[in-house]
Amino acid sequence: MLFIENLTVRYGSIVAVDHVNLSVAAGEVCVANGEFGAGKSSLLKAIIGMVRSTGTMSLAGCLIKRPNPKAMASARVSVMPDGQSVFQQLSVRQNIELSLNRTLSRDDELLIQSIFPDLNRFIDESAYVLSGGQRQMLSFIRAVIRKPSVLLLDEPTIGLAQDALETLYHTVKRLAEEGTAVLALEQTNTLN
């Protein structure tokens, strides 16, 4: 599904990612571990085209010469960036609808409820009122609700309580069983 060869990211003279090779097949969960500052976020940003990189990348057997976020989203590549990336001034519903680019359907609401039942009571509240762990789960829902073919997770478990961790694990496992290729970038090996 996702194949990367010799991917390198430089910020001026600083090499953030140095000749990374990896592949993630459909139905597989791949976890890349590294310390803070090891280049995990730069790797993710290079995959979706937010930073320039060198090397070769292909998606579902098609060579990607110049990745860009819009094209990757169209190819059903979904990203959960690190840092509880939600729009705090928008409601929970608006955050999710923004990710979908449409209003929530009943199926969407059922999926949200299955992943994070507690979030339903906040659905029309500002994301600002959520705890850090709840914002992290909202960020996760924004990534998975699009039913991606490739799911990229950057530090998905930071700040999550044990029950939310278990929900995240089960959801990632279910998505992989349904054929999603999952790449998780973590400091610890909690998803292994």
PDB file of all heavy atoms in Angstrom, residues 112-149:
ATOM      1  N   ILE A 112     -18.712   7.360  15.782  1.00  0.00           N
ATOM      2  CA  ILE A 112     -18.185   8.199  16.859  1.00  0.00           C
ATOM      3  C   ILE A 112     -18.530   7.582  18.213  1.00  0.00           C
ATOM      4  O   ILE A 112     -17.688   7.461  19.096  1.00  0.00           O
ATOM      5  CB  ILE A 112     -18.740   9.630  16.763  1.00  0.00           C
ATOM      6  CG1 ILE A 112     -18.214  10.317  15.509  1.00  0.00           C
ATOM      7  CG2 ILE A 112     -18.390  10.445  18.012  1.00  0.00           C
ATOM      8  CD1 ILE A 112     -18.972  11.573  15.133  1.00  0.00           C
ATOM      9  N   GLN A 113     -19.774   7.161  18.346  1.00  0.00           N
ATOM     10  CA  GLN A 113     -20.233   6.576  19.604  1.00  0.00           C
ATOM     11  C   GLN A 113     -19.476   5.284  19.915  1.00  0.00           C
ATOM     12  O   GLN A 113     -19.138   5.025  21.067  1.00  0.00           O
ATOM     13  CB  GLN A 113     -21.736   6.320  19.542  1.00  0.00           C
ATOM     14  CG  GLN A 113     -22.349   6.015  20.881  1.00  0.00           C
ATOM     15  CD  GLN A 113     -23.862   6.041  20.815  1.00  0.00           C
ATOM     16  OE1 GLN A 113     -24.452   5.906  19.752  1.00  0.00           O
ATOM     17  NE2 GLN A 113     -24.489   6.215  21.961  1.00  0.00           N
ATOM     18  N   SER A 114     -19.167   4.495  18.907  1.00  0.00           N
ATOM     19  CA  SER A 114     -18.446   3.242  19.145  1.00  0.00           C
ATOM     20  C   SER A 114     -16.992   3.494  19.539  1.00  0.00           C
ATOM     21  O   SER A 114     -16.403   2.733  20.295  1.00  0.00           O
ATOM     22  CB  SER A 114     -18.502   2.341  17.909  1.00  0.00           C
ATOM     23  OG  SER A 114     -17.668   2.844  16.876  1.00  0.00           O
ATOM     24  N   ILE A 115     -16.402   4.569  19.027  1.00  0.00           N
ATOM     25  CA  ILE A 115     -15.012   4.879  19.347  1.00  0.00           C
ATOM     26  C   ILE A 115     -14.898   5.616  20.674  1.00  0.00           C
ATOM     27  O   ILE A 115     -14.053   5.316  21.504  1.00  0.00           O
ATOM     28  CB  ILE A 115     -14.367   5.721  18.226  1.00  0.00           C
ATOM     29  CG1 ILE A 115     -14.290   4.917  16.934  1.00  0.00           C
ATOM     30  CG2 ILE A 115     -12.961   6.184  18.632  1.00  0.00           C
ATOM     31  CD1 ILE A 115     -13.842   5.716  15.731  1.00  0.00           C
ATOM     32  N   PHE A 116     -15.772   6.588  20.870  1.00  0.00           N
ATOM     33  CA  PHE A 116     -15.653   7.435  22.053  1.00  0.00           C
ATOM     34  C   PHE A 116     -17.035   7.882  22.508  1.00  0.00           C
ATOM     35  O   PHE A 116     -17.467   8.993  22.234  1.00  0.00           O
ATOM     36  CB  PHE A 116     -14.768   8.634  21.716  1.00  0.00           C
ATOM     37  CG  PHE A 116     -14.371   9.466  22.898  1.00  0.00           C
ATOM     38  CD1 PHE A 116     -14.097   8.888  24.129  1.00  0.00           C
ATOM     39  CD2 PHE A 116     -14.259  10.832  22.774  1.00  0.00           C
ATOM     40  CE1 PHE A 116     -13.727   9.654  25.212  1.00  0.00           C
ATOM     41  CE2 PHE A 116     -13.882  11.622  23.850  1.00  0.00           C
ATOM     42  CZ  PHE A 116     -13.612  11.027  25.074  1.00  0.00           C
ATOM     43  N   PRO A 117     -17.757   6.978  23.205  1.00  0.00           N
ATOM     44  CA  PRO A 117     -19.144   7.262  23.584  1.00  0.00           C
ATOM     45  C   PRO A 117     -19.295   8.555  24.389  1.00  0.00           C
ATOM     46  O   PRO A 117     -20.285   9.268  24.235  1.00  0.00           O
ATOM     47  CB  PRO A 117     -19.558   6.057  24.429  1.00  0.00           C
ATOM     48  CG  PRO A 117     -18.495   5.048  24.288  1.00  0.00           C
ATOM     49  CD  PRO A 117     -17.303   5.691  23.681  1.00  0.00           C
ATOM     50  N   ASP A 118     -18.321   8.878  25.220  1.00  0.00           N
ATOM     51  CA  ASP A 118     -18.405  10.067  26.063  1.00  0.00           C
ATOM     52  C   ASP A 118     -18.422  11.353  25.244  1.00  0.00           C
ATOM     53  O   ASP A 118     -18.919  12.386  25.698  1.00  0.00           O
ATOM     54  CB  ASP A 118     -17.215  10.064  27.028  1.00  0.00           C
ATOM     55  CG  ASP A 118     -17.427  10.975  28.213  1.00  0.00           C
ATOM     56  OD1 ASP A 118     -18.582  11.077  28.682  1.00  0.00           O
ATOM     57  OD2 ASP A 118     -16.451  11.589  28.661  1.00  0.00           O
ATOM     58  N   LEU A 119     -17.911  11.289  24.025  1.00  0.00           N
ATOM     59  CA  LEU A 119     -17.824  12.491  23.200  1.00  0.00           C
ATOM     60  C   LEU A 119     -19.215  12.984  22.769  1.00  0.00           C
ATOM     61  O   LEU A 119     -19.394  14.175  22.524  1.00  0.00           O
ATOM     62  CB  LEU A 119     -16.962  12.219  21.966  1.00  0.00           C
ATOM     63  CG  LEU A 119     -16.322  13.419  21.292  1.00  0.00           C
ATOM     64  CD1 LEU A 119     -15.433  14.177  22.264  1.00  0.00           C
ATOM     65  CD2 LEU A 119     -15.518  12.986  20.092  1.00  0.00           C
ATOM     66  N   ASN A 120     -20.192  12.081  22.709  1.00  0.00           N
ATOM     67  CA  ASN A 120     -21.540  12.477  22.283  1.00  0.00           C
ATOM     68  C   ASN A 120     -22.140  13.565  23.164  1.00  0.00           C
ATOM     69  O   ASN A 120     -22.854  14.433  22.680  1.00  0.00           O
ATOM     70  CB  ASN A 120     -22.477  11.268  22.246  1.00  0.00           C
ATOM     71  CG  ASN A 120     -22.398  10.558  20.920  1.00  0.00           C
ATOM     72  OD1 ASN A 120     -21.862  11.077  19.947  1.00  0.00           O
ATOM     73  ND2 ASN A 120     -22.913   9.348  20.881  1.00  0.00           N
ATOM     74  N   ARG A 121     -21.840  13.540  24.454  1.00  0.00           N
ATOM     75  CA  ARG A 121     -22.430  14.569  25.317  1.00  0.00           C
ATOM     76  C   ARG A 121     -21.801  15.931  25.096  1.00  0.00           C
ATOM     77  O   ARG A 121     -22.313  16.945  25.549  1.00  0.00           O
ATOM     78  CB  ARG A 121     -22.411  14.160  26.775  1.00  0.00           C
ATOM     79  CG  ARG A 121     -21.099  13.973  27.399  1.00  0.00           C
ATOM     80  CD  ARG A 121     -21.231  13.386  28.814  1.00  0.00           C
ATOM     81  NE  ARG A 121     -19.919  13.217  29.345  1.00  0.00           N
ATOM     82  CZ  ARG A 121     -19.416  13.934  30.326  1.00  0.00           C
ATOM     83  NH1 ARG A 121     -20.147  14.846  30.920  1.00  0.00           N
ATOM     84  NH2 ARG A 121     -18.183  13.732  30.728  1.00  0.00           N
ATOM     85  N   PHE A 122     -20.668  15.960  24.370  1.00  0.00           N
ATOM     86  CA  PHE A 122     -20.002  17.224  24.044  1.00  0.00           C
ATOM     87  C   PHE A 122     -20.178  17.621  22.579  1.00  0.00           C
ATOM     88  O   PHE A 122     -19.590  18.598  22.131  1.00  0.00           O
ATOM     89  CB  PHE A 122     -18.493  17.115  24.321  1.00  0.00           C
ATOM     90  CG  PHE A 122     -18.143  16.875  25.752  1.00  0.00           C
ATOM     91  CD1 PHE A 122     -17.710  15.626  26.159  1.00  0.00           C
ATOM     92  CD2 PHE A 122     -18.235  17.881  26.692  1.00  0.00           C
ATOM     93  CE1 PHE A 122     -17.372  15.392  27.480  1.00  0.00           C
ATOM     94  CE2 PHE A 122     -17.898  17.658  28.012  1.00  0.00           C
ATOM     95  CZ  PHE A 122     -17.464  16.404  28.410  1.00  0.00           C
ATOM     96  N   ILE A 123     -20.978  16.885  21.814  1.00  0.00           N
ATOM     97  CA  ILE A 123     -21.024  17.028  20.360  1.00  0.00           C
ATOM     98  C   ILE A 123     -21.286  18.466  19.897  1.00  0.00           C
ATOM     99  O   ILE A 123     -20.733  18.904  18.899  1.00  0.00           O
ATOM    100  CB  ILE A 123     -22.027  16.023  19.721  1.00  0.00           C
ATOM    101  CG1 ILE A 123     -21.753  15.864  18.230  1.00  0.00           C
ATOM    102  CG2 ILE A 123     -23.459  16.390  20.006  1.00  0.00           C
ATOM    103  CD1 ILE A 123     -20.618  14.995  17.878  1.00  0.00           C
ATOM    104  N   ASP A 124     -22.089  19.210  20.626  1.00  0.00           N
ATOM    105  CA  ASP A 124     -22.379  20.585  20.223  1.00  0.00           C
ATOM    106  C   ASP A 124     -21.679  21.625  21.093  1.00  0.00           C
ATOM    107  O   ASP A 124     -21.974  22.819  21.000  1.00  0.00           O
ATOM    108  CB  ASP A 124     -23.894  20.817  20.206  1.00  0.00           C
ATOM    109  CG  ASP A 124     -24.556  20.027  19.084  1.00  0.00           C
ATOM    110  OD1 ASP A 124     -24.037  20.065  17.949  1.00  0.00           O
ATOM    111  OD2 ASP A 124     -25.561  19.336  19.346  1.00  0.00           O
ATOM    112  N   GLU A 125     -20.732  21.152  21.909  1.00  0.00           N
ATOM    113  CA  GLU A 125     -19.922  22.046  22.743  1.00  0.00           C
ATOM    114  C   GLU A 125     -18.640  22.418  22.007  1.00  0.00           C
ATOM    115  O   GLU A 125     -18.158  21.676  21.158  1.00  0.00           O
ATOM    116  CB  GLU A 125     -19.554  21.363  24.069  1.00  0.00           C
ATOM    117  CG  GLU A 125     -20.734  20.994  24.940  1.00  0.00           C
ATOM    118  CD  GLU A 125     -21.385  22.210  25.567  1.00  0.00           C
ATOM    119  OE1 GLU A 125     -20.681  23.204  25.849  1.00  0.00           O
ATOM    120  OE2 GLU A 125     -22.611  22.170  25.765  1.00  0.00           O
ATOM    121  N   SER A 126     -18.081  23.537  22.396  1.00  0.00           N
ATOM    122  CA  SER A 126     -16.786  23.945  21.858  1.00  0.00           C
ATOM    123  C   SER A 126     -15.733  22.917  22.255  1.00  0.00           C
ATOM    124  O   SER A 126     -15.735  22.401  23.376  1.00  0.00           O
ATOM    125  CB  SER A 126     -16.419  25.316  22.433  1.00  0.00           C
ATOM    126  OG  SER A 126     -15.050  25.577  22.251  1.00  0.00           O
ATOM    127  N   ALA A 127     -14.825  22.609  21.355  1.00  0.00           N
ATOM    128  CA  ALA A 127     -13.744  21.671  21.662  1.00  0.00           C
ATOM    129  C   ALA A 127     -12.857  22.204  22.780  1.00  0.00           C
ATOM    130  O   ALA A 127     -12.124  21.446  23.418  1.00  0.00           O
ATOM    131  CB  ALA A 127     -12.926  21.380  20.412  1.00  0.00           C
ATOM    132  N   TYR A 128     -12.961  23.481  23.042  1.00  0.00           N
ATOM    133  CA  TYR A 128     -12.195  24.108  24.124  1.00  0.00           C
ATOM    134  C   TYR A 128     -12.512  23.485  25.477  1.00  0.00           C
ATOM    135  O   TYR A 128     -11.646  23.408  26.350  1.00  0.00           O
ATOM    136  CB  TYR A 128     -12.490  25.613  24.144  1.00  0.00           C
ATOM    137  CG  TYR A 128     -11.809  26.356  25.258  1.00  0.00           C
ATOM    138  CD1 TYR A 128     -10.471  26.720  25.153  1.00  0.00           C
ATOM    139  CD2 TYR A 128     -12.499  26.693  26.420  1.00  0.00           C
ATOM    140  CE1 TYR A 128      -9.827  27.392  26.185  1.00  0.00           C
ATOM    141  CE2 TYR A 128     -11.877  27.370  27.453  1.00  0.00           C
ATOM    142  CZ  TYR A 128     -10.539  27.711  27.329  1.00  0.00           C
ATOM    143  OH  TYR A 128      -9.919  28.373  28.356  1.00  0.00           O
ATOM    144  N   VAL A 129     -13.762  23.035  25.689  1.00  0.00           N
ATOM    145  CA  VAL A 129     -14.159  22.497  26.993  1.00  0.00           C
ATOM    146  C   VAL A 129     -13.648  21.070  27.224  1.00  0.00           C
ATOM    147  O   VAL A 129     -13.738  20.553  28.326  1.00  0.00           O
ATOM    148  CB  VAL A 129     -15.696  22.535  27.197  1.00  0.00           C
ATOM    149  CG1 VAL A 129     -16.236  23.940  27.043  1.00  0.00           C
ATOM    150  CG2 VAL A 129     -16.407  21.560  26.280  1.00  0.00           C
ATOM    151  N   LEU A 130     -13.115  20.437  26.196  1.00  0.00           N
ATOM    152  CA  LEU A 130     -12.628  19.068  26.331  1.00  0.00           C
ATOM    153  C   LEU A 130     -11.309  19.024  27.087  1.00  0.00           C
ATOM    154  O   LEU A 130     -10.499  19.947  27.012  1.00  0.00           O
ATOM    155  CB  LEU A 130     -12.435  18.432  24.950  1.00  0.00           C
ATOM    156  CG  LEU A 130     -13.646  18.347  24.031  1.00  0.00           C
ATOM    157  CD1 LEU A 130     -13.235  17.768  22.685  1.00  0.00           C
ATOM    158  CD2 LEU A 130     -14.757  17.524  24.663  1.00  0.00           C
ATOM    159  N   SER A 131     -11.088  17.914  27.781  1.00  0.00           N
ATOM    160  CA  SER A 131      -9.788  17.694  28.417  1.00  0.00           C
ATOM    161  C   SER A 131      -8.757  17.386  27.329  1.00  0.00           C
ATOM    162  O   SER A 131      -9.115  17.138  26.165  1.00  0.00           O
ATOM    163  CB  SER A 131      -9.875  16.523  29.392  1.00  0.00           C
ATOM    164  OG  SER A 131     -10.023  15.304  28.670  1.00  0.00           O
ATOM    165  N   GLY A 132      -7.499  17.368  27.694  1.00  0.00           N
ATOM    166  CA  GLY A 132      -6.445  17.045  26.728  1.00  0.00           C
ATOM    167  C   GLY A 132      -6.635  15.672  26.110  1.00  0.00           C
ATOM    168  O   GLY A 132      -6.483  15.492  24.899  1.00  0.00           O
ATOM    169  N   GLY A 133      -6.981  14.689  26.918  1.00  0.00           N
ATOM    170  CA  GLY A 133      -7.220  13.334  26.403  1.00  0.00           C
ATOM    171  C   GLY A 133      -8.430  13.283  25.480  1.00  0.00           C
ATOM    172  O   GLY A 133      -8.426  12.578  24.470  1.00  0.00           O
ATOM    173  N   GLN A 134      -9.476  14.042  25.821  1.00  0.00           N
ATOM    174  CA  GLN A 134     -10.663  14.084  24.966  1.00  0.00           C
ATOM    175  C   GLN A 134     -10.343  14.761  23.638  1.00  0.00           C
ATOM    176  O   GLN A 134     -10.814  14.328  22.590  1.00  0.00           O
ATOM    177  CB  GLN A 134     -11.804  14.816  25.685  1.00  0.00           C
ATOM    178  CG  GLN A 134     -12.387  14.019  26.841  1.00  0.00           C
ATOM    179  CD  GLN A 134     -13.318  14.850  27.699  1.00  0.00           C
ATOM    180  OE1 GLN A 134     -13.133  16.058  27.873  1.00  0.00           O
ATOM    181  NE2 GLN A 134     -14.329  14.198  28.255  1.00  0.00           N
ATOM    182  N   ARG A 135      -9.524  15.805  23.661  1.00  0.00           N
ATOM    183  CA  ARG A 135      -9.106  16.441  22.406  1.00  0.00           C
ATOM    184  C   ARG A 135      -8.282  15.471  21.563  1.00  0.00           C
ATOM    185  O   ARG A 135      -8.403  15.445  20.345  1.00  0.00           O
ATOM    186  CB  ARG A 135      -8.299  17.716  22.681  1.00  0.00           C
ATOM    187  CG  ARG A 135      -9.168  18.881  22.996  1.00  0.00           C
ATOM    188  CD  ARG A 135      -8.366  20.177  23.038  1.00  0.00           C
ATOM    189  NE  ARG A 135      -8.844  20.935  24.161  1.00  0.00           N
ATOM    190  CZ  ARG A 135      -8.113  21.373  25.173  1.00  0.00           C
ATOM    191  NH1 ARG A 135      -6.824  21.174  25.193  1.00  0.00           N
ATOM    192  NH2 ARG A 135      -8.662  22.032  26.152  1.00  0.00           N
ATOM    193  N   GLN A 136      -7.460  14.673  22.227  1.00  0.00           N
ATOM    194  CA  GLN A 136      -6.662  13.676  21.504  1.00  0.00           C
ATOM    195  C   GLN A 136      -7.593  12.655  20.840  1.00  0.00           C
ATOM    196  O   GLN A 136      -7.375  12.272  19.690  1.00  0.00           O
ATOM    197  CB  GLN A 136      -5.695  12.985  22.488  1.00  0.00           C
ATOM    198  CG  GLN A 136      -4.682  12.094  21.854  1.00  0.00           C
ATOM    199  CD  GLN A 136      -3.522  12.847  21.216  1.00  0.00           C
ATOM    200  OE1 GLN A 136      -3.577  14.041  20.967  1.00  0.00           O
ATOM    201  NE2 GLN A 136      -2.468  12.130  20.919  1.00  0.00           N
ATOM    202  N   MET A 137      -8.635  12.229  21.533  1.00  0.00           N
ATOM    203  CA  MET A 137      -9.595  11.286  20.942  1.00  0.00           C
ATOM    204  C   MET A 137     -10.377  11.943  19.806  1.00  0.00           C
ATOM    205  O   MET A 137     -10.667  11.302  18.794  1.00  0.00           O
ATOM    206  CB  MET A 137     -10.545  10.726  22.002  1.00  0.00           C
ATOM    207  CG  MET A 137      -9.894   9.699  22.928  1.00  0.00           C
ATOM    208  SD  MET A 137      -9.130   8.297  22.059  1.00  0.00           S
ATOM    209  CE  MET A 137     -10.557   7.445  21.426  1.00  0.00           C
ATOM    210  N   LEU A 138     -10.714  13.208  19.944  1.00  0.00           N
ATOM    211  CA  LEU A 138     -11.389  13.927  18.862  1.00  0.00           C
ATOM    212  C   LEU A 138     -10.476  13.990  17.634  1.00  0.00           C
ATOM    213  O   LEU A 138     -10.925  13.761  16.505  1.00  0.00           O
ATOM    214  CB  LEU A 138     -11.796  15.336  19.306  1.00  0.00           C
ATOM    215  CG  LEU A 138     -12.400  16.248  18.235  1.00  0.00           C
ATOM    216  CD1 LEU A 138     -13.615  15.604  17.572  1.00  0.00           C
ATOM    217  CD2 LEU A 138     -12.756  17.606  18.845  1.00  0.00           C
ATOM    218  N   SER A 139      -9.203  14.261  17.850  1.00  0.00           N
ATOM    219  CA  SER A 139      -8.243  14.280  16.749  1.00  0.00           C
ATOM    220  C   SER A 139      -8.174  12.910  16.073  1.00  0.00           C
ATOM    221  O   SER A 139      -8.126  12.804  14.843  1.00  0.00           O
ATOM    222  CB  SER A 139      -6.866  14.691  17.284  1.00  0.00           C
ATOM    223  OG  SER A 139      -5.933  14.783  16.243  1.00  0.00           O
ATOM    224  N   PHE A 140      -8.204  11.846  16.871  1.00  0.00           N
ATOM    225  CA  PHE A 140      -8.197  10.485  16.336  1.00  0.00           C
ATOM    226  C   PHE A 140      -9.459  10.221  15.513  1.00  0.00           C
ATOM    227  O   PHE A 140      -9.394   9.700  14.399  1.00  0.00           O
ATOM    228  CB  PHE A 140      -8.071   9.475  17.488  1.00  0.00           C
ATOM    229  CG  PHE A 140      -8.097   8.042  17.068  1.00  0.00           C
ATOM    230  CD1 PHE A 140      -7.059   7.498  16.328  1.00  0.00           C
ATOM    231  CD2 PHE A 140      -9.160   7.222  17.422  1.00  0.00           C
ATOM    232  CE1 PHE A 140      -7.071   6.165  15.944  1.00  0.00           C
ATOM    233  CE2 PHE A 140      -9.184   5.903  17.048  1.00  0.00           C
ATOM    234  CZ  PHE A 140      -8.134   5.364  16.309  1.00  0.00           C
ATOM    235  N   ILE A 141     -10.610  10.615  16.047  1.00  0.00           N
ATOM    236  CA  ILE A 141     -11.874  10.424  15.321  1.00  0.00           C
ATOM    237  C   ILE A 141     -11.848  11.189  14.000  1.00  0.00           C
ATOM    238  O   ILE A 141     -12.280  10.674  12.964  1.00  0.00           O
ATOM    239  CB  ILE A 141     -13.075  10.858  16.194  1.00  0.00           C
ATOM    240  CG1 ILE A 141     -13.296   9.828  17.304  1.00  0.00           C
ATOM    241  CG2 ILE A 141     -14.339  11.023  15.351  1.00  0.00           C
ATOM    242  CD1 ILE A 141     -14.267  10.260  18.370  1.00  0.00           C
ATOM    243  N   ARG A 142     -11.311  12.404  14.011  1.00  0.00           N
ATOM    244  CA  ARG A 142     -11.226  13.187  12.764  1.00  0.00           C
ATOM    245  C   ARG A 142     -10.421  12.442  11.708  1.00  0.00           C
ATOM    246  O   ARG A 142     -10.698  12.550  10.517  1.00  0.00           O
ATOM    247  CB  ARG A 142     -10.592  14.555  13.043  1.00  0.00           C
ATOM    248  CG  ARG A 142     -11.497  15.469  13.856  1.00  0.00           C
ATOM    249  CD  ARG A 142     -10.893  16.837  14.057  1.00  0.00           C
ATOM    250  NE  ARG A 142     -10.831  17.486  12.757  1.00  0.00           N
ATOM    251  CZ  ARG A 142      -9.862  18.318  12.388  1.00  0.00           C
ATOM    252  NH1 ARG A 142      -8.875  18.595  13.199  1.00  0.00           N
ATOM    253  NH2 ARG A 142      -9.888  18.873  11.203  1.00  0.00           N
ATOM    254  N   ALA A 143      -9.417  11.678  12.128  1.00  0.00           N
ATOM    255  CA  ALA A 143      -8.588  10.934  11.174  1.00  0.00           C
ATOM    256  C   ALA A 143      -9.263   9.664  10.678  1.00  0.00           C
ATOM    257  O   ALA A 143      -9.184   9.335   9.500  1.00  0.00           O
ATOM    258  CB  ALA A 143      -7.234  10.592  11.810  1.00  0.00           C
ATOM    259  N   VAL A 144      -9.958   8.956  11.572  1.00  0.00           N
ATOM    260  CA  VAL A 144     -10.497   7.646  11.173  1.00  0.00           C
ATOM    261  C   VAL A 144     -11.893   7.716  10.567  1.00  0.00           C
ATOM    262  O   VAL A 144     -12.300   6.792   9.859  1.00  0.00           O
ATOM    263  CB  VAL A 144     -10.492   6.636  12.342  1.00  0.00           C
ATOM    264  CG1 VAL A 144      -9.093   6.439  12.878  1.00  0.00           C
ATOM    265  CG2 VAL A 144     -11.446   7.034  13.455  1.00  0.00           C
ATOM    266  N   ILE A 145     -12.620   8.794  10.795  1.00  0.00           N
ATOM    267  CA  ILE A 145     -14.008   8.856  10.322  1.00  0.00           C
ATOM    268  C   ILE A 145     -14.091   8.878   8.801  1.00  0.00           C
ATOM    269  O   ILE A 145     -15.104   8.514   8.214  1.00  0.00           O
ATOM    270  CB  ILE A 145     -14.763  10.045  10.951  1.00  0.00           C
ATOM    271  CG1 ILE A 145     -16.273   9.806  10.833  1.00  0.00           C
ATOM    272  CG2 ILE A 145     -14.337  11.367  10.325  1.00  0.00           C
ATOM    273  CD1 ILE A 145     -17.089  10.446  11.881  1.00  0.00           C
ATOM    274  N   ARG A 146     -13.003   9.250   8.152  1.00  0.00           N
ATOM    275  CA  ARG A 146     -12.978   9.290   6.681  1.00  0.00           C
ATOM    276  C   ARG A 146     -12.764   7.907   6.075  1.00  0.00           C
ATOM    277  O   ARG A 146     -12.668   7.758   4.870  1.00  0.00           O
ATOM    278  CB  ARG A 146     -11.882  10.251   6.217  1.00  0.00           C
ATOM    279  CG  ARG A 146     -12.155  11.682   6.626  1.00  0.00           C
ATOM    280  CD  ARG A 146     -11.065  12.651   6.211  1.00  0.00           C
ATOM    281  NE  ARG A 146     -10.812  12.559   4.789  1.00  0.00           N
ATOM    282  CZ  ARG A 146      -9.599  12.347   4.264  1.00  0.00           C
ATOM    283  NH1 ARG A 146      -8.556  12.205   5.027  1.00  0.00           N
ATOM    284  NH2 ARG A 146      -9.450  12.290   2.968  1.00  0.00           N
ATOM    285  N   LYS A 147     -12.640   6.883   6.923  1.00  0.00           N
ATOM    286  CA  LYS A 147     -12.416   5.503   6.473  1.00  0.00           C
ATOM    287  C   LYS A 147     -11.229   5.441   5.503  1.00  0.00           C
ATOM    288  O   LYS A 147     -11.378   5.097   4.329  1.00  0.00           O
ATOM    289  CB  LYS A 147     -13.677   4.920   5.877  1.00  0.00           C
ATOM    290  CG  LYS A 147     -14.815   4.881   6.880  1.00  0.00           C
ATOM    291  CD  LYS A 147     -16.067   4.265   6.322  1.00  0.00           C
ATOM    292  CE  LYS A 147     -17.085   4.176   7.421  1.00  0.00           C
ATOM    293  NZ  LYS A 147     -18.207   5.018   7.293  1.00  0.00           N
ATOM    294  N   PRO A 148     -10.045   5.775   6.018  1.00  0.00           N
ATOM    295  CA  PRO A 148      -8.873   5.889   5.148  1.00  0.00           C
ATOM    296  C   PRO A 148      -8.342   4.545   4.654  1.00  0.00           C
ATOM    297  O   PRO A 148      -8.552   3.510   5.285  1.00  0.00           O
ATOM    298  CB  PRO A 148      -7.834   6.554   6.071  1.00  0.00           C
ATOM    299  CG  PRO A 148      -8.221   6.105   7.436  1.00  0.00           C
ATOM    300  CD  PRO A 148      -9.724   6.034   7.419  1.00  0.00           C
ATOM    301  N   SER A 149      -7.635   4.598   3.531  1.00  0.00           N
ATOM    302  CA  SER A 149      -6.904   3.411   3.073  1.00  0.00           C
ATOM    303  C   SER A 149      -5.544   3.370   3.748  1.00  0.00           C
ATOM    304  O   SER A 149      -4.993   2.303   3.991  1.00  0.00           O
ATOM    305  CB  SER A 149      -6.744   3.434   1.547  1.00  0.00           C
ATOM    306  OG  SER A 149      -6.052   4.594   1.142  1.00  0.00           O
TER     307      SER A 149
END
